[in-house]
C-alpha cells in the first residue's frame, strides 16, 4: 500500500509523556530565539513557561547539559561565527584524511551507503519502508528504516504526525509503508543516546537522493559536533563552488535530520537561516550539542 492510500499513518496513541521536558524547553527556547538580543533573564524565561526560576534552571540543565544563560550564549550570532571560524578548517581536514568512505564520519559513528540513481528514479518502487514515532529530546521523531538501515528521520510536535508522514513518504511515493515501532525503536535508542554512540556498533544509514544531494549529505556528515560550515564552503568542497543555492536546496531536502547534521550548515554571516523542521528546533539541537561537547 503506498503513501497516498495509508490514511492511518498517524500516532494511534498519545506517546508524549506528561510534563514533557522538551515542551517546556521548546517554549523557553522560543523566548530566547525571539529576544536573545535583550538577553532575557532566568526569571523572565521562567515566567514565560510557567516555572519557578529554580525549577526551570534544573529542568533546562538536565535536558541540555547547559544552563539557560549558557544556552543563550550558544545560539547567538557571535557564537555561530566562532563555530564557522573553527569549523571550516576541520571540515577541510576531514576531506584531506580521506573520511569519504565508511568509518567515523561524525560523532554518531555512521556508516552509509547510497541507493543507485536507478533506485532513486523509481521513487521507492519495490522498497519497503518501516516507520514509527518515538519521543526524542527534540519532540516526536518519525523514524523510517529499510532492511539496509535508517532511511529517514523527521521531527514534529504533537498533532503534526500526519503532516510529517506526508512530507517524508512523498519523497518516495511508490514505496510500501509498514508501521512497525519494534523495527524503529532500536534506531531511536541508538540515535538519541550519546552513551550508545560506539565505533564498534556504527549506525547504518541508506541515502536515497540524487547524485548531487548525496555529495552534499556526505559533506554534512563530516562536520563535527560543535562545529559548523557555510553553504559556500560545502559547495567548494564538493567541487561545485558556484552552486551555493543548490547546496542550500539539498541541505533542506535532507531526509535524515540530526543524523545527517543539516543543522550545522549556516549562512555566510553565521545566521542560522532556514531549517525544514523549524528554527526553534535547530537552535534546540545546536544548544543540546553544545552541552554534549561541554560535558
Amino acid at each position: 500500500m503506498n503513501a497516498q492510500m495509508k490514511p492511518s499513518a498517524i500516532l494511534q496513541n498519545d506517546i508524549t509523556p506528561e510534563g514533557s521536558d522538551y515542551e517546556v524547553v521548546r517554549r523557553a527556547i522560543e523566548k530566547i530565539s525571539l529576544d536573545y538580543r535583550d538577553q532575557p533573564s532566568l526569571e523572565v524565561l521562567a515566567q514565560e513557561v510557567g516555572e519557578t526560576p529554580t525549577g526551570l534552571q534544573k529542568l533546562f540543565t538536565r535536558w541540555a547539559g547547559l544552563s539557560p544563560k549558557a544556552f543563550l550564549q550558544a545560539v547567538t550570532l557571535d557564537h555561530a561565527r566562532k563555530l564557522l571560524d573553527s569549523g571550516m578548517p576541520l571540515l577541510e581536514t576531514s576531506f584531506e584524511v580521506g573520511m569519504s568512505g565508511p568509518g567515523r564520519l561524525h560523532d554518531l559513528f555512521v556508516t552509509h551507503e547510497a541507493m543507485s540513481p536507478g533506485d532513486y528514479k523509481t521513487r521507492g518502487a519495490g522498497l519497503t519502508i518501516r516507520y514509527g514515532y518515538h519521543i526524542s529530546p527534540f519532540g516526536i521523531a518519525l523514524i523510517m528504516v529499510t532492511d539496509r538501515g535508517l532511511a529517514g528521520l523527521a521531527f514534529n510536535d504533537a498533532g503534526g504526525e500526519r503532516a510529517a508522514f506526508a512530507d517524508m513518504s512523498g519523497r518516495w511515493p511508490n514505496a510500501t509503508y509498514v508501521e512497525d515501532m519494534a523495527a524503529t525503536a532500536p534506531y531511536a535508542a541508538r540515535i538519541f543516546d550519546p552513551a550508545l554512540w560506539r565505533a564498534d556498533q556504527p549506525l547504518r544509514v541508506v541515502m536515497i537522493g540524487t547524485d548531487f544531494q548525496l555529495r552534499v549529505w556526505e559533506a554534512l556528515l563530516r562536520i563535527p559536533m560543535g562545529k559548523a560550515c557555510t553553504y559556500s564552503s560545502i559547495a567548494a568542497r564538493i567541487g561545485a563552488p558556484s552552486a551555493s543555492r543548490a547546496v542550500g536546496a539539498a541541505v533542506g531536502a535532507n531526509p535524515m535530520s540530526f543524523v545527517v547534521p543539516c543543522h550545522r550548515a549556516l549562512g555566510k554571516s553565521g545566521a542560522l537561516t532556514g531549517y525544514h523542521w523549524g528554527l526553534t528546533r535547530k537552535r534546540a539541537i545546536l544548544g543540546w550539542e553544545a552541552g554534549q561537547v561541554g560535558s
Side-chain angles (χ1 to χ4, degrees):
M1 183 178 295
N2 65 25
Q4 289 87 342
M5 297 174 61
K6 192 170 181 62
S8 62
I10 58 173
L11 282 173
Q12 303 304 312
N13 299 293
D14 183 10
I15 64 171
T16 306
E18 187 71 24
S20 169
D21 283 0
Y22 178 70
E23 176 57 25
V24 176
V25 169
R26 181 186 64 80
R27 289 160 57 201
I29 292 171
E30 284 182 341
K31 179 68 173 177
I32 290 171
S33 301
L34 291 172
D35 299 339
Y36 75 90
R37 291 183 179 85
D38 297 330
Q39 299 286 296
S41 66
L42 178 62
E43 289 73 21
V44 169
L45 292 173
Q47 184 178 18
E48 180 74 16
V49 301
E51 288 278 348
T52 65
T54 300
L56 178 61
Q57 179 89 356
K58 290 181 178 179
L59 184 153
F60 201 103
T61 303
R62 181 175 70 248
W63 178 86
L66 294 170
S67 68
K69 181 178 180 180
F71 185 95
L72 176 61
Q73 294 170 342
V75 298
T76 63
L77 184 61
D78 287 343
H79 182 73
R81 286 171 176 155
K82 291 176 183 176
L83 291 183
L84 287 174
D85 289 343
S86 60
M88 284 188 285
L90 285 174
L91 179 63
E92 292 169 2
T93 298
S94 70
F95 275 96
E96 293 300 324
V97 299
M99 293 179 69
S100 58
R104 184 180 180 180
L105 292 177
H106 71 104
D107 312 85
L108 265 170
F109 294 101
V110 171
T111 59
H112 74 277
E113 61 177 301
M115 291 287 191
S116 70
D119 290 330
Y120 174 73
K121 288 178 181 178
T122 67
R123 308 196 72 190
L127 187 66
T128 297
I129 297 179
R130 300 181 183 279
Y131 70 91
Y133 298 91
H134 303 270
I135 292 299
S136 83
F138 315 108
I140 298 171
L142 168 59
I143 293 178
M144 293 183 163
V145 302
T146 72
D147 58 0
R148 295 162 66 178
L150 179 73
L153 195 166
F155 292 111
N156 63 267
D157 297 320
E161 296 83 17
R162 186 184 294 275
F165 183 86
D167 174 37
M168 294 296 286
S169 60
R171 300 163 189 248
W172 315 294
N174 296 326
T176 297
Y177 291 89
V178 178
E179 187 169 11
D180 187 350
M181 288 184 66
T184 55
Y187 285 87
R190 168 72 171 77
I191 289 166
F192 298 112
D193 185 355
L196 299 179
W197 297 356
R198 297 171 50 182
D200 61 337
Q201 295 181 6
L203 179 69
R204 294 173 56 216
V205 169
V206 57
M207 296 179 175
I208 309 173
T210 66
D211 178 67
F212 183 84
Q213 287 175 330
L214 294 173
R215 285 189 288 149
V216 171
W217 299 340
E218 287 171 347
L220 292 173
L221 280 169
R222 299 185 183 100
I223 306 174
M225 180 182 287
K227 306 300 177 185
C229 191
T230 62
Y231 300 121
S232 58
S233 180
I234 293 172
R237 296 312 307 179
I238 66 171
S242 63
S244 294
R245 287 190 179 182
V247 165
V251 169
N254 168 34
M256 279 179 279
S257 179
F258 188 72
V259 171
V260 176
C262 50
H263 56 276
R264 298 177 193 161
L266 306 180
K268 187 174 183 180
S269 68
L272 294 187
T273 65
Y275 186 61
H276 192 72
W277 291 276
L279 281 177
T280 295
R281 189 166 276 111
K282 182 170 185 173
R283 289 185 174 94
I285 294 173
L286 288 171
W288 184 88
E289 288 189 341
Q292 297 298 317
V293 170
S295 64

